[in-house]
Amino acid sequence: MTETAAGSVTIVLDQAEPTAAAPAVGWAAAELREALGRRGVAAQTSRGIPASARGRVVLAGGPESRAARDLLTAVGAALPVEPEALALATGSANGRPVTLAAGADARGLVYALLELVDRVRHAGDPLAALDVPGPVVERPANAVRSIMRLFSSDVHDKGWFHDRSWWATYLTELVTHRFNRFNLALGLGYDFPRTIQDAYFYFPYPFLLEVPGFAVRVTALPEGERERNLASLRFIGEEVKRRGLHFQLGLWTHAYQWQDSPEANHTIEGLTNETHAAYCRDAVRLLLQEVPTIDGVTFRIHGESGVPEQSYDFWKTVFEGVASCGRPVELDLHAKGIDERMIGNALAAGTGAGVNVSPKYWAEHLGLPYHQAEIRELEQPREPTGDHGRWMALSEALRRFIRYGYGDVLREDREYGLIWRVWPGTQRLLLWGDPRFAAGYGRAAQFGGALGTEFFEPLSFKGRKGSGVPGHRGGYAQESLQSPQGDWAKYRYTYRLLGRCLYNPDADPDQWRRTLRRQFGQNAPAAEEALASASRILPLITVAHHPSAANYHYWPEMYTDVPIVAPMPARPYGDTPAPKRFGTVSPLDPALFSTVEQFADESIARQPSGRYSPLDVARWLDQLAATAEAALGRWTAGAPVTGAGGDPNADAESRRWQTDVTIQAALGRFFAAKLRAGTAHALYERTGSRSLLEQGLAAYGDARAAFAAAAAAGDAVYLDDLTFGPDHWLRGTWRDRLAAIDEDAAAMTGLLDGAAAGGGKPGQTTSRAPVTLAELEIARRGGPLAHTPPGPFRRGEAVSIRVAADGAQEEQVAGVRLHYRHANQAERYEVVEMERNGDGYRAAIPAAYTDSPYPLQYFFDVRGAQGAAWLSPGLGPDLTGRPYYLLRQAAALATATR
């Protein structure tokens, strides 16, 4: 390569400026230099702008850089003071073009430099990519933006754990897309220490350390492997810190004895009940000392950890180990099973870096971009019984309300932080990528003053519980479809969207469109639209139809059928109400969505609740599937490309995307048709209408055809045994599920064969039954009412709420009710009829009710003319709206801004 003045870049790091002198900034500058070099541009780094420098200058500076301040001032911008904020701008110095990359701190400056790296890699002209036409100023919406990667299979996970080149690429991808935290989770492969097969890292300490004073060992662990494991963990921590990220280590299990586990590959020797707590204390202290890059530790403190709930003394002892390691370390407590006493013990331990509590977001799944308005009835408290009474006295009984949500931890006076954790039950394998939902998740992460969100990464739990089989972890049957950089690389677009939209929900779309243009050329807009629409399907069905909150039991991506006609056995859906049929399955948000049977009752009685019905959901699913299919059609009809950058993997990338869009769209069609079939059956049971049963059977035929289409698309590319667990509902492929669908459809056919030609069941009448499902699908809803939330409130003072109907909608509104409660999922909503007042309605939340430590949450149900009913504000046309209002306490907000 011949250097020319026009084709060279000097990257200036002012070492006198503390931010620019940070090691992570030096690493990011080297990444920019390498990226330019790969594009044929000579680049060098310098501590100042050399007098003889030719070509372009990239100036990297922090808040104390006068040159950075002057350049930003000249273009009418300023560097924000918030941690991790960044700014990019183009100006000039001494007659030479200068691109400024500035950060409020070292991490912000790393993000700024890596943004230039990303632009250079994707642009047609790498030098032009350094031009910033207008200043770019961004600040993080969420303080925590985390990815969790878990080790759950010795077959699938040992390779990446020890692969040092793999870690470099993977971690660079995370920080490029503005994640600021990486959580490596160990010991999360099992719910309880029973029927263990693959115990590798399950009780992590003895796989990593020899703890003085304790003769604890792992059976069948090869000589030297413990030392190798510790060396790899040290390396991982060093690479995480090299990029300026927070390194969190998850230690999810503290059981040392396996029950009913004759096939376990490893067991633990040398511990007793008397030495257990002391060993764990000394082990975690030693681990933190041996791996000094660890910034925080995540603990599962409920019974699935192998330690009975309410074992306060045990956990106090373990917390002492963290506190005595010699440096500040964050404590992160998984929220299930937590109570004030456990949190108090963690705070009292004084680990020096604070305590966070991490509730689940949408149970163990990915739902819509808001926090559920209400938990399921099954999550209400009950008295402890049996074995659960010993192990799970809180999370399965007295404090069930915090198993799958935030429960009662959203207090305004809390001394701990909150981090939402998004579990992987909904979608494990297929590619996900919707910019609007990603932005919605970024906004939802701030709910109630929370710090942010941590996502389980795609393919989590692959091969769990000993189900791993040799071969590629990504699940493709054809080697040509495996990403050459590893299974994670398929999901680069997912990481890009989630990380950047957690950082800034209003991010410039070019931040993801640039990679689509490089991959798919002129087909990029169609690719974006196809995947975006397809990616809303499974989160929607997760919220509307939820047979189990546990990720181990419900996998809508590869759905185990819930029959419409005959009840099914308890497993896999133990937390679905009896009789376990499609119509009784609860939504995950029962405040907004109705079950099939509830909707049938409302329809017969002509008393709509205003909740979204199964037919509303079916209509949305069909619309999303149709949009995805149409965009996919435009894409496949377009000219094939190898990508703007000449990427030889582009054809495989197109096929990966197109296959996963096809499957998700087919699943949308399946669930839409099955919801219609289930509704028709429920109405038939109440009316005996043969016509409705015929419509239901026709819809079931459509559902079966759609699922078969998903199976055919999967057969073409995926292995025939995709193992995310040993049980049949967590392995196999889509085709394996067709037999259960056929069996249920046959049962419905049997009902039709037995139904009378003109009517149905003796003693029932069809006089009040709808003639067709299409009649019920006519939307009888108005729009959201005009409402301005009153703003922060003072505890112990009444809050006045007023709404109005706009224009023509005013004549359609017959009444409005206010639903309100504290932002405490253990409570039920209070419901009051609002008084008509001029052109609107008003009500008040009493002063006595506001006298609590919680924010207030509320929404409206509206009754209109001609049987109309709806909720306000609702989800909105693109399903990204927050369907309620949240009022924070003024005192809490004032404290947060100080």
Side-chain angles (χ1 to χ4, degrees):
M1 178 178 63
T2 303
E3 179 181 347
T4 65
S8 62
V9 174
T10 301
I11 304 166
V12 177
L13 300 175
D14 184 358
Q15 296 297 303
E17 208 275 341
T19 301
V25 173
W27 168 83
E31 288 290 301
L32 178 58
R33 185 176 65 245
E34 180 181 354
L36 288 164
R38 288 180 179 272
R39 299 300 308 278
V41 177
Q44 62 179 347
T45 55
S46 172
R47 296 190 177 188
I49 301 177
S52 60
R54 296 178 298 166
R56 179 174 294 276
V57 170
V58 173
L59 173 63
E64 297 182 27
S65 169
R66 181 173 179 178
R69 288 197 304 270
D70 290 347
L71 195 151
L72 286 172
T73 299
V75 296
L79 180 64
V81 298
E82 293 92 337
E84 303 183 24
L86 65 87
L88 297 172
T90 295
S92 62
N94 300 327
R96 291 190 296 273
V98 174
T99 297
L100 172 67
D105 54 17
R107 192 173 285 159
L109 184 49
V110 167
Y111 294 151
L113 287 167
L114 293 181
E115 173 64 13
L116 295 179
V117 171
D118 199 55
R119 293 179 179 211
V120 165
R121 286 174 175 165
H122 289 92
D125 181 348
L127 283 176
L130 297 178
D131 284 324
V132 184
V136 174
V137 177
E138 294 189 83
R139 50 178 61 81
N142 297 288
V144 171
R145 308 175 301 281
S146 182
I147 283 288
M148 177 195 286
R149 186 175 184 89
L150 60 96
F151 188 112
S152 62
S153 168
D154 61 351
V155 171
H156 286 311
D157 299 335
K158 278 186 180 179
W160 57 257
F161 182 78
H162 292 296
D163 186 343
R164 299 195 170 197
S165 62
W166 181 94
W167 281 106
T169 307
Y170 172 77
L171 293 172
T172 297
E173 191 79 12
L174 297 187
V175 69
T176 295
H177 302 312
R178 304 183 195 172
F179 289 102
N180 63 0
R181 184 179 180 110
F182 172 70
N183 191 335
L184 177 63
L186 306 177
L188 189 50
Y190 289 83
D191 293 337
F192 280 100
R194 63 170 66 104
T195 62
I196 304 296
Q197 292 188 27
D198 177 5
Y200 208 91
F201 278 144
Y202 184 50
F203 181 47
Y205 303 123
F207 285 88
L208 295 162
L209 301 161
E210 179 179 1
V211 181
F214 298 90
V216 178
R217 62 180 292 269
V218 179
T219 63
L221 190 69
E223 183 177 354
E225 190 153 337
R226 181 173 59 191
E227 292 74 15
R228 183 186 180 213
N229 288 340
L230 182 60
S232 289
L233 184 61
R234 285 193 184 115
F235 172 81
I236 294 166
E238 290 164 358
E239 290 298 297
V240 172
K241 301 307 293 181
R242 184 183 179 199
R243 291 157 177 79
L245 296 169
H246 173 108
F247 183 30
Q248 191 80 8
L249 182 67
L251 302 170
W252 284 76
T253 294
H254 281 74
Y256 67 94
Q257 294 176 312
W258 323 149
Q259 304 170 28
D260 305 320
S261 305
E263 299 180 6
N265 57 355
H266 302 286
T267 59
I268 308 300
E269 295 181 345
L271 275 178
T272 66
N273 288 340
E274 291 71 26
T275 60
H276 183 206
Y279 169 80
C280 293
R281 175 198 61 208
D282 291 0
V284 72
R285 177 198 300 127
L286 181 60
L287 181 59
L288 292 171
Q289 291 169 342
E290 291 288 338
V291 188
T293 53
I294 297 172
D295 296 299
V297 181
T298 297
F299 289 127
R300 170 169 56 179
I301 49 81
H302 63 82
E304 293 175 23
S305 69
V307 178
E309 291 175 3
Q310 299 178 308
S311 296
Y312 301 108
D313 289 342
F314 173 88
W315 288 108
K316 282 180 68 175
T317 302
V318 174
F319 297 160
E320 289 170 6
V322 178
S324 59
C325 75
R327 70 177 189 280
V329 174
E330 175 198 305
L331 279 181
D332 169 33
L333 306 182
H334 178 53
K336 182 176 178 179
I338 208 163
D339 62 4
E340 289 186 10
R341 183 174 175 185
M342 184 67 73
I343 296 173
N345 288 344
L347 290 166
T351 63
V355 174
N356 291 322
V357 174
S358 299
K360 295 172 181 174
Y361 177 78
W362 287 113
E364 295 181 2
H365 298 81
L366 179 67
L368 299 175
Y370 74 95
H371 293 268
Q372 61 190 128
E374 185 176 39
I375 58 176
R376 303 181 305 166
E377 184 65 28
L378 289 161
E379 269 59 80
Q380 295 302 325
R382 63 182 68 169
E383 289 299 316
T385 59
D387 192 46
H388 273 164
R390 184 171 85 87
W391 289 92
M392 313 285 284
L394 296 178
S395 61
E396 292 287 350
L398 301 176
R399 292 180 58 78
R400 286 176 65 85
F401 53 79
I402 203 168
R403 293 195 307 169
Y404 297 125
Y406 58 81
D408 60 355
V409 299
L410 208 62
R411 300 172 60 101
E412 296 277 34
D413 59 355
R414 60 184 182 267
E415 298 179 57
Y416 49 87
L418 281 179
I419 300 172
W420 310 110
R421 184 167 286 126
V422 180
W423 287 63
T426 295
Q427 197 160 339
R428 313 166 194 263
L429 179 72
L430 302 176
L431 182 65
W432 184 94
D434 175 29
R436 288 190 181 180
F437 267 33
Y441 297 136
R443 296 184 181 97
Q446 307 164 46
F447 184 73
L451 296 174
T453 295
E454 178 170 275
F455 283 88
F456 278 74
E457 68 173 8
L459 296 178
S460 288
F461 293 116
K462 184 72 167 68
R464 75 187 299 186
K465 293 191 175 185
S467 65
V469 292
H472 199 280
R473 185 170 176 260
Y476 285 109
Q478 301 174 24
E479 187 63 31
S480 62
L481 291 176
Q482 311 285 11
S483 174
Q485 291 185 313
D487 53 78
W488 70 273
K490 166 183 172 176
Y491 306 98
R492 279 183 142 150
Y493 187 66
T494 305
Y495 291 117
R496 179 179 289 268
L497 289 179
L498 292 178
R500 289 171 179 266
C501 290
L502 277 174
Y503 182 88
N504 179 9
D506 299 313
D508 182 350
D510 188 65
Q511 292 184 19
W512 52 87
R513 288 176 178 165
R514 66 176 71 126
T515 192
L516 298 180
R517 290 192 298 269
R518 181 173 175 82
Q519 291 173 319
F520 307 125
Q522 71 269 29
N523 296 323
E528 178 181 357
E529 184 178 14
L531 184 60
S533 292
S535 295
R536 298 182 195 182
I537 288 170
L538 291 172
L540 172 58
I541 200 63
T542 292
V543 174
H545 172 77
H546 205 76
S548 179
N551 83 88
Y552 190 80
H553 294 289
Y554 183 34
W555 185 13
E557 182 180 52
M558 198 174 292
Y559 181 64
T560 295
D561 193 62
V562 180
I564 291 173
V565 179
M568 70 186 302
R571 289 169 68 82
Y573 301 132
D575 51 331
T576 275
K580 297 182 184 298
R581 300 192 308 175
F582 193 79
T584 65
V585 172
S586 172
L588 191 48
D589 190 346
L592 264 69
F593 293 84
S594 63
T595 69
V596 166
E597 296 205 350
Q598 287 169 344
F599 176 63
D601 288 337
E602 293 174 11
S603 299
I604 297 299
R606 300 292 198 266
Q607 293 180 345
S609 65
R611 290 176 296 185
Y612 296 114
S613 75
L615 299 185
D616 290 325
V617 177
R619 184 174 62 255
W620 286 332
L621 290 170
D622 271 338
Q623 291 169 351
L624 292 169
T627 301
E629 290 161 352
L632 186 60
R634 295 195 302 274
W635 183 1
T636 55
V641 295
T642 58
D647 182 359
N649 192 46
D651 290 339
E653 186 80 349
S654 293
R655 192 173 178 198
R656 286 192 292 264
W657 276 54
Q658 291 167 3
T659 297
D660 288 4
V661 167
T662 298
I663 293 173
Q664 289 175 79
L667 291 174
R669 297 292 193 184
F670 163 77
F671 281 112
K674 178 142 187 176
L675 286 167
R676 294 189 179 98
T679 300
H681 174 265
L683 290 167
Y684 160 75
E685 285 195 316
R686 287 155 176 77
T687 66
S689 168
R690 179 183 175 90
S691 172
L692 280 166
L693 192 56
E694 289 172 338
Q695 294 170 53
L697 194 56
Y700 217 156
D702 293 340
R704 202 275 182 194
F707 205 91
D715 288 346
V717 299
Y718 285 111
L719 296 170
D720 59 8
D721 190 10
L722 297 162
T723 57
F724 287 86
D727 294 289
H728 66 83
W729 58 83
L730 284 175
R731 65 186 311 163
T733 188
W734 291 273
R735 188 159 300 282
D736 300 333
R737 275 70 173 164
L738 285 170
I741 295 171
D742 289 340
E743 182 180 348
D744 191 30
M748 187 178 285
T749 300
L751 291 178
L752 184 64
D753 292 342
K761 299 180 178 180
Q764 290 180 320
T765 175
T766 62
S767 61
R768 301 194 70 189
V771 177
T772 65
L773 287 177
E775 177 185 329
L776 284 176
E777 288 205 52
I778 299 173
R780 294 184 174 89
R781 299 183 181 277
L785 301 180
H787 173 63
T788 301
F793 68 97
R794 296 182 182 276
R795 179 172 174 171
E797 294 183 4
V799 176
S800 179
I801 304 292
R802 188 179 186 280
V803 295
D806 290 335
Q809 186 170 254
E810 183 177 356
E811 297 180 0
Q812 300 173 7
V813 176
V816 182
R817 286 182 295 197
L818 171 68
H819 298 241
Y820 67 89
R821 68 163 169 81
H822 302 119
N824 177 353
Q825 292 175 324
E827 299 181 7
R828 313 275 185 152
Y829 281 93
E830 303 288 331
V831 183
V832 297
E833 191 76 33
M834 301 186 75
E835 296 180 1
R836 187 67 187 252
N837 178 251
D839 61 349
Y841 295 80
R842 69 179 181 183
I845 301 176
Y849 193 86
T850 73
D851 190 11
S852 91
Y854 294 99
L856 295 173
Q857 185 173 329
Y858 65 93
F859 64 93
F860 309 100
D861 82 73
V862 188
R863 297 177 307 287
Q866 300 179 344
W870 65 95
L871 303 179
S872 180
L875 292 172
D878 59 2
L879 306 179
T880 62
R882 188 166 73 182
Y884 47 75
Y885 301 95
L886 185 76
L887 297 184
R888 300 288 306 280
Q889 293 189 14
L893 292 177
T895 300
T897 57
R898 284 203 291 267

